[in-house]
Amino acid sequence: MTQRPPDLIVVPAVMQQRLRLLGFDTQSMLRRAGLPADLFASGKARITTRQMFAVWDALAAMNPDPALGLRIGAEGATEHYDIASIAALHSPNFGEALQRLSRFKRLTCPEVIRIERGDGEVRVRFHWFLAEGHSPPLLTDGTFASVLELARRGTGTRVVPRRVELVRAHTSAQAAMLGAHFGCAPRFGAAADVIVFDEALLAQPFVTHNQDLLAVLLPGLEAALAAQAPATSLVDQARAVLGRTLRGERPSIQAVAAELCVSTRTLQRRLEEAGTSYQRLLDEVRHQAARQLLEDTQLEAGEIAFVLGFEELNSFTRAFRGWEGTTPARWRMAQAVPERP
């Protein structure tokens, strides 16, 4: 199984400068977050996901302005962009911008940008997979505002999302503020924080496209990714993604490919070259997970079937019989029988 990247986030000097321009006393902010006041003294600080969330909570506590996250995400000058955002802004279109943002974001933090297409829309979700719980609302506002600003600056038009789905509870003030900024009424109480665009926007050309700049930037970024990446195969990485996304639905190959930042066709080809297929890999992960859940938990077979993404218990029972030659219930009972000395 692929190794997770270290829980380490680089806070670039431009971000620190941005906070100072907004009038923050960064030393007071760091102390409030439970961090050393001189953390930013070296210019390039490194903190964990928990500490990052604490910083954003401290920002919210120090400045009660409900629009602060939107200001941080949308009002920054391009010279204050991080390297991933610079590569995204100068991409040919919004779709490639999102892909580059997703790919190179991994150089600075343990965050995955999930891009899901379907039903004429594209759903963009920022997932901090080493986090305990959801990201702070202020951070979510800033992140969504920065993505929208990327689309607006890149296309040169006032892009309006289809909708914004938020985990937080509804408040009238938040609804009015966010609705005014995004141009659509936010939906509160969602299962995850998601910003949704028209799928057609992905092909919208960027007026900021600069191929010469990309030719300079991309080789260095790709080299940095290669140096950072663990020595594991794409098959192992796909297996790891499947293992952590089996949560009540069957993960699609398109979703797995998107998380690995490769095309669906590339993933299929690489799996074939390794002598396997997406379905076979999914079966392996389901088989291993089924054995673990039957042996280590008290979940009923029907509940396990749901967790593993089977549509019904009979489908799970047939699959398990193919794996083990018996039913889930009988297999569980056999594991409970003590071995003879």
Side-chain angles (χ1 to χ4, degrees):
M1 183 171 290
T2 186
Q3 301 173 356
R4 286 185 172 189
D7 189 3
L8 192 66
I9 300 167
V10 177
V11 184
V14 291
M15 177 61 179
Q16 300 166 34
Q17 182 181 2
R18 175 76 180 130
L19 291 176
R20 294 188 184 101
L21 288 174
L22 287 170
F24 282 99
D25 179 345
T26 55
Q27 290 188 340
S28 297
M29 178 202 68
L30 289 169
R31 281 193 293 266
R32 183 182 286 266
L35 296 170
D38 62 350
L39 183 66
F40 289 168
S42 64
K44 193 171 184 179
R46 290 172 172 82
I47 57 180
T48 66
T49 301
R50 184 193 294 270
Q51 291 169 337
M52 169 65 94
F53 284 11
V55 165
W56 282 90
D57 286 337
L59 290 174
M62 293 174 66
N63 188 326
D65 179 8
L68 177 62
L70 301 178
R71 292 173 56 205
I72 292 175
E75 295 179 4
T78 53
E79 57 264 28
H80 295 156
Y81 275 17
D82 59 32
I83 192 66
S85 298
I86 292 173
L89 182 64
H90 294 96
S91 297
N93 54 52
F94 185 52
E96 291 195 36
L98 285 178
Q99 291 293 338
R100 290 202 171 104
L101 193 64
S102 173
R103 182 167 181 78
F104 299 127
K105 196 76 172 175
R106 292 177 290 169
L107 290 172
T108 58
C109 60
E111 181 184 25
V112 173
I113 303 177
R114 292 178 173 165
I115 306 166
E116 302 173 354
R117 301 174 61 170
D119 298 325
E121 64 184 31
V122 55
R123 296 168 54 85
V124 183
R125 177 186 173 195
F126 291 75
H127 176 57
W128 295 82
F129 52 84
L130 298 180
E132 299 175 1
H134 299 286
S135 63
L138 195 71
L139 174 55
T140 299
D141 290 352
T143 301
F144 284 1
S146 68
V147 171
L148 180 59
E149 188 64 19
L150 171 66
R152 289 176 173 176
R153 289 185 182 184
T155 63
T157 64
R158 190 178 184 279
V159 172
V160 174
R162 277 196 176 188
R163 62 185 181 277
V164 175
E165 302 173 7
L166 300 168
V167 171
R168 76 193 71 164
H170 177 276
T171 67
S172 298
Q174 285 271 314
M177 175 198 68
L178 295 170
H181 182 86
F182 290 107
C184 61
R187 298 182 182 179
F188 296 92
D193 294 314
V194 182
I195 185 167
V196 185
F197 297 96
D198 287 325
E199 190 173 14
L201 182 64
L202 294 176
Q204 180 112 0
F206 267 19
V207 297
T208 52
H209 177 213
N210 188 329
Q211 190 58 44
D212 292 338
L213 179 61
L214 290 176
V216 174
L217 285 179
L218 295 183
L221 290 173
E222 292 293 347
L225 275 181
Q228 181 191 72
T232 53
S233 70
L234 188 65
V235 175
D236 287 336
Q237 293 179 51
R239 185 180 288 111
V241 171
L242 284 171
R244 66 174 179 261
T245 53
L246 279 176
R247 297 294 185 271
E249 61 181 20
R250 182 186 188 277
S252 68
I253 187 172
Q254 291 82 5
V256 173
E259 184 153 340
L260 294 174
C261 296
V262 299
S263 68
T264 301
R265 182 173 298 179
T266 296
L267 179 57
Q268 288 173 323
R269 176 174 52 80
R270 296 282 291 276
L271 293 177
E272 290 174 1
E273 291 172 353
T276 187
S277 67
Y278 179 76
Q279 184 59 53
R280 191 178 304 170
L281 204 62
L282 177 61
D283 285 344
E284 290 176 9
V285 173
R286 280 174 157 174
H287 182 193
Q288 181 180 2
R291 287 172 57 101
Q292 180 181 354
L293 291 171
L294 285 167
E295 191 167 9
D296 298 341
T297 76
Q298 297 300 315
L299 292 175
E300 298 292 335
E303 295 173 310
I304 294 175
F306 171 78
V307 170
L308 299 183
F310 286 94
E311 294 183 358
E312 56 184 10
L313 175 58
N314 287 342
S315 298
F316 171 53
T317 301
R318 284 195 300 271
F320 195 85
R321 191 185 293 274
W323 298 328
E324 296 289 342
T326 187
T327 66
R330 289 174 180 169
W331 187 90
R332 173 179 268 169
M333 288 176 62
Q335 308 315 304
V337 175
E339 295 182 1
R340 292 183 180 180

